[in-house]
Amino acid sequence: MKKKIKPLGPYSQYIYRNHTLYSSGQIAICPETNDLIDTNIYDETHQIMKNIKEILMSENLDFENIVKTTIFVVDISCYDIVNEVYKSYFKNRFPARETVEVKGLPANANIEISFIAHKWKI
């Protein structure tokens, strides 16, 4: 990654083992400032997806390697906006996924996304 995001707690941003990358939940932290981007759900989702891209690239992976995601949102009425942004990052296929409405997220974020990616070609 160009600049690693500082975790908000005692955890790793991701772990890469046996050709599989397991991410912690990603919120819309700007890597340059470590500030939360929370102007709106559209921008927040884009920042998360950009951060996910950086994580993937750091292990020579891309969005095609993602096999599973979990999306947590504090307001399920934002579902369509999140989907609009989310789908723009995938080209050929979508991973398995669930979206869950939650009461709250770290740093008062409105959305958090975790994922699992697998390196197909070794």
Side-chain angles (χ1 to χ4, degrees):
M1 283 179 55
K2 294 177 184 169
K3 184 170 182 182
K4 196 168 188 173
I5 296 170
K6 182 181 173 193
L8 299 177
Y11 60 88
S12 297
Q13 190 175 20
Y14 69 89
I15 301 291
Y16 186 70
R17 296 280 189 276
N18 298 322
H19 312 291
T20 303
L21 187 152
Y22 304 89
S23 84
S24 295
Q26 304 299 310
I27 60 174
I29 300 289
C30 175
E32 289 79 26
T33 64
N34 273 319
D35 293 330
L36 179 69
I37 305 299
D38 63 353
T39 49
N40 59 61
I41 196 70
Y42 184 87
D43 292 342
E44 212 168 329
T45 306
H46 264 299
Q47 184 63 55
I48 292 169
M49 297 305 283
K50 290 176 193 175
N51 293 350
I52 289 172
K53 181 178 180 180
E54 290 295 324
I55 292 169
L56 291 166
M57 288 173 44
S58 73
E59 296 294 341
N60 297 313
L61 301 170
D62 62 31
F63 284 96
E64 295 299 308
N65 295 102
I66 295 179
V67 295
K68 173 81 167 64
T69 62
T70 301
I71 301 175
F72 303 95
V73 293
V74 295
D75 183 357
I76 201 69
S77 71
C78 297
Y79 188 78
D80 290 340
I81 297 168
V82 170
N83 275 338
E84 177 187 340
V85 175
Y86 178 90
K87 72 180 179 182
S88 72
Y89 285 83
F90 295 92
K91 302 296 180 231
N92 297 315
R93 62 170 192 77
F94 297 106
R97 180 186 104 180
E98 63 265 331
T99 302
V100 181
E101 184 177 42
V102 296
K103 184 176 180 179
L105 291 167
N108 293 317
N110 295 302
I111 180 171
E112 180 175 345
I113 302 175
S114 64
F115 67 95
I116 299 170
H118 184 75
K119 191 172 231 174
W120 303 110
K121 296 177 184 174
I122 303 169

